[in-house]
Amino acid sequence: MTLWLTRIVPDTRSQDARRDLADAVGTHRRVMSLFPSDAGPDPRARFGVLFRGEDTPRGPHILVQSTHEPDTGRLPDGYGTALTRRLDALMDAIRPGLTVHYRCVASPVRKPGATTRALYGLKAVVPLTGAAADEWWLRQADRSGLKPLTHRPAQPLDAAGGERRPRGSAPQRVRHARTQFDGTAAIIDTDQLKTALLNGIGRGKAYGCGLLSIAPARQPQ
């Protein structure tokens, strides 16, 4: 299966781009507009679409990964620039023992038991921060075939939010806490890693969470 990675550099002079960057639901709609519309009830899953926003020295970027090549010509005029490339070389390079840099923006949460929720008035899912978020990530990395070697402390980001408007239903608010995880790791299970790369990690995948990115680390000469 071929993976595609698309980097969209929105032009912040574009009203459409500014609106999408401020709304995870809007970004989701924009990203999905680049794929065929006749894809059944869950086009995001069918086309393996994951995305995340990144702040860079050149301004905000949107990274989109998919198993179907997106049609970036569907972006509105003046929206920005987009470049798509295949990830075949990266996927072919995956092997046990390879050291990689990783980045994942995910929504780490825990689900308290019913008794605990009632006793303390907790929500159904509780966002994790600090050391608890780091512990969550280390568990996810292990399930994803990675053995972390170095790990930066979890970096909290602005929550992904917006308003969904399901057909025939009242508007629904969407909000997912986001945390960025960076570091290096050794690959210990190639099948688990490829599954994590394809499927993403955690909750909120439709709204900019869960995309795991890796790149081979340069070995010392």
Side-chain angles (χ1 to χ4, degrees):
M1 179 180 293
T2 296
L3 272 182
W4 303 85
L5 183 67
T6 302
R7 182 179 293 272
I8 301 172
V9 183
D11 187 335
T12 54
R13 295 173 295 182
S14 162
Q15 183 177 354
D16 289 326
R18 291 196 306 272
R19 183 167 54 243
D20 290 347
L21 289 170
D23 179 4
V25 177
T27 306
H28 164 78
R29 294 194 190 104
R30 184 69 64 196
V31 168
M32 294 310 304
S33 75
L34 309 182
F35 299 91
S37 58
D38 55 346
D42 193 350
R44 190 204 65 78
R46 176 172 176 178
F47 298 128
V49 179
L50 298 165
F51 75 90
R52 72 166 176 262
E54 291 197 337
D55 290 325
T56 79
R58 293 189 296 156
H61 291 190
I62 301 170
L63 289 181
V64 181
Q65 180 184 284
S66 59
T67 56
H68 184 284
E69 184 177 8
D71 181 1
T72 56
R74 295 182 179 182
L75 290 171
D77 290 341
Y79 191 89
T81 61
L83 178 65
T84 299
R85 62 185 178 92
R86 298 166 68 114
L87 294 179
D88 294 355
L90 174 65
M91 298 299 284
D92 290 343
I94 292 175
R95 66 179 189 277
L98 179 68
T99 299
V100 296
H101 297 283
Y102 65 78
R103 169 169 292 176
C104 185
V105 171
S107 182
V109 299
R110 67 180 177 90
K111 298 180 179 180
T115 301
T116 303
R117 287 203 307 271
L119 184 62
Y120 295 101
L122 299 175
K123 296 181 179 180
V125 293
V126 178
L128 301 176
T129 59
D134 286 325
E135 292 172 4
W136 178 92
W137 166 251
L138 293 176
R139 292 193 299 271
Q140 299 301 318
D142 182 67
R143 295 169 187 165
S144 301
L146 294 173
K147 178 183 178 181
L149 302 173
T150 65
H151 174 64
R152 298 179 187 173
Q155 178 183 347
L157 304 175
D158 292 340
E163 187 174 84
R164 295 177 62 242
R165 295 181 178 272
R167 291 181 180 178
S169 302
Q172 300 172 357
R173 292 295 300 173
V174 171
R175 182 178 175 83
H176 291 283
R178 296 189 307 147
T179 302
Q180 181 170 308
F181 303 97
D182 293 280
T184 61
I187 297 174
I188 55 176
D189 189 306
T190 58
D191 290 337
Q192 287 181 330
L193 177 56
K194 289 179 179 180
T195 297
L197 290 170
L198 286 168
N199 296 336
I201 294 175
R203 303 170 67 250
K205 295 172 187 174
Y207 305 108
C209 302
L211 172 59
L212 171 64
S213 301
I214 63 169
R218 290 186 176 182
Q219 301 298 320
Q221 302 296 319

